[in-house]
Amino acid sequence: MTQGPAPSLPRHLAIIMDGNGRWAQQRRRPRLIGHRAGARAVNRTIDFCLERGIASLTLFAFSSENWGRPAEEVEGLMKLFLNALDREVDELHRRGVRVRFIGERERFSAGIVSRMQLAEQRTAGNTAMTLSIAASYGGRLDIVHATRELAREVAAGRLRPEDIDEAMIGQRVALSDLPPPDLFIRTGGDIRISNFLLWQLAYTELWFTDILWPDFTAGVLQQALDDYARRERRFGLTSAQIAAAAAETRSP
Ligand code: FPP
């Protein structure tokens, strides 16, 4: 956990990409046109993060609740995901991006699941950036899965309930091998987390913008990074404690 002034660049950036539907509506176009424009904004964001050396990018592409959208929109989104997987994975691999998916992948079609697996296997050794795509993901369910795993350990007699601590849960939720997100961005004007990485976002700096996701550009992202760099991350401590700890680290 980094204390004191935030390192100027987040190591891990997590984004809720909201506003595709409204972007399309404003243009009197079907919502799917908005999602397509959203996919282009995804590419721009990946390019920016690679250029700037942001080590991990996590994108909320589809929530567990999104299955409830009109069938036509869900089908269109699935086609978009399939096309993106077919089209982009080679290029991501060439650029050294490790791709992986979090969420209930068993709910997707066999075609999508096998492409997800292929993308993960193919890019597993890459180190330029980790791109995690949250698909049919829900933060509460993530914690439920971790809890079930621990309950099984207890039932098998390998763990005592009083020995369960935060680290044990943290090791069993999604993205446990990455540092937690330093910066969270949500586009589209709503000021909420919407069941994204609930456990992982405990000390994350939050940044919201009214900009709709398809309009998200390198300039907007830079604005978020500039705000982030000015924030003081205290992790529950006081400013004076943080300053003292920073001075101690600086002294030889
Ligand atoms: C939220 O906007 C966005 C989604 C539910 C889908 C996100 C998908 C993409 C950005 C497309 C491609 C992604 C990948 C990873 C290839 P919304 O539809 O809720 O917008 P609204 O709030 O204006 O209705």
Side-chain angles (χ1 to χ4, degrees):
M1 207 183 277
T2 313
Q3 290 176 346
S8 52
L9 202 63
R11 292 158 303 175
H12 185 174
L13 170 63
I15 308 184
I16 293 188
M17 313 179 284
D18 200 10
N20 294 347
R22 278 165 288 162
W23 186 90
Q25 269 159 6
Q26 283 173 0
R27 287 159 180 76
R28 302 190 195 292
R29 305 296 307 277
R31 293 176 60 84
L32 269 170
I33 298 291
H35 293 313
R36 269 190 221 144
R40 292 194 289 276
V42 167
N43 286 338
R44 287 197 294 274
T45 305
I46 294 171
D47 288 349
F48 181 94
C49 290
L50 271 167
E51 277 161 26
R52 293 296 303 275
I54 292 174
S56 298
L57 172 65
T58 300
L59 301 174
F60 206 1
F62 196 80
S63 72
S64 328
E65 294 74 29
N66 286 153
W67 291 109
R69 290 195 174 194
E72 191 192 348
E73 182 171 348
V74 173
E75 276 164 32
L77 267 170
M78 293 305 131
K79 278 198 194 125
L80 188 63
F81 292 150
L82 264 177
N83 289 343
L85 282 166
D86 284 343
R87 218 181 33 235
E88 307 294 345
V89 170
D90 281 349
E91 179 63 8
L92 291 170
H93 183 48
R94 197 186 61 73
R95 299 173 80 185
V97 177
R98 173 168 72 132
V99 182
R100 41 101 163 268
F101 298 86
I102 59 169
E104 312 162 279
R105 74 174 69 186
E106 61 285 358
R107 292 186 71 178
F108 290 93
S109 71
I112 293 189
V113 172
S114 72
R115 280 170 178 85
M116 284 175 171
Q117 274 164 354
L118 275 175
E120 286 182 336
Q121 283 162 5
R122 188 129 180 257
T123 62
N126 292 342
T127 55
M129 183 174 92
T130 298
L131 172 66
S132 307
I133 311 237
S136 190
Y137 174 85
R140 287 184 173 175
L141 195 57
D142 194 1
I143 297 170
V144 166
H145 286 146
T147 310
R148 280 190 197 146
E149 223 181 276
L150 288 170
R152 277 193 287 269
E153 295 285 304
V154 171
R158 289 191 291 267
L159 180 67
R160 294 184 309 168
E162 56 272 32
D163 290 334
I164 295 175
D165 59 14
E166 292 187 14
M168 282 185 200
I169 298 179
Q171 282 152 13
R172 286 166 177 81
V173 290
L175 311 179
S176 59
D177 57 325
L178 301 176
D182 297 302
L183 176 63
F184 159 97
I185 294 176
R186 181 178 187 142
T187 61
D190 286 328
I191 315 286
R192 53 176 171 261
I193 290 176
S194 298
N195 202 18
F196 196 23
L197 303 160
L198 295 182
W199 181 274
Q200 299 84 339
L201 291 175
Y203 283 101
T204 301
E205 296 296 325
L206 308 180
W207 196 86
F208 298 89
T209 173
D210 289 339
I211 302 259
L212 303 176
W213 176 250
D215 291 328
F216 194 73
T217 57
V220 183
L221 182 44
Q222 187 57 54
Q223 220 180 305
L225 295 185
D226 290 345
D227 277 359
Y228 168 80
R230 282 193 289 269
R231 294 198 189 172
E232 180 189 55
R233 307 191 72 191
R234 290 195 296 276
F235 300 99
L237 304 181
T238 65
S239 284
Q241 285 176 301
I242 297 299
E248 209 168 282
T249 336
R250 277 195 304 270
S251 68

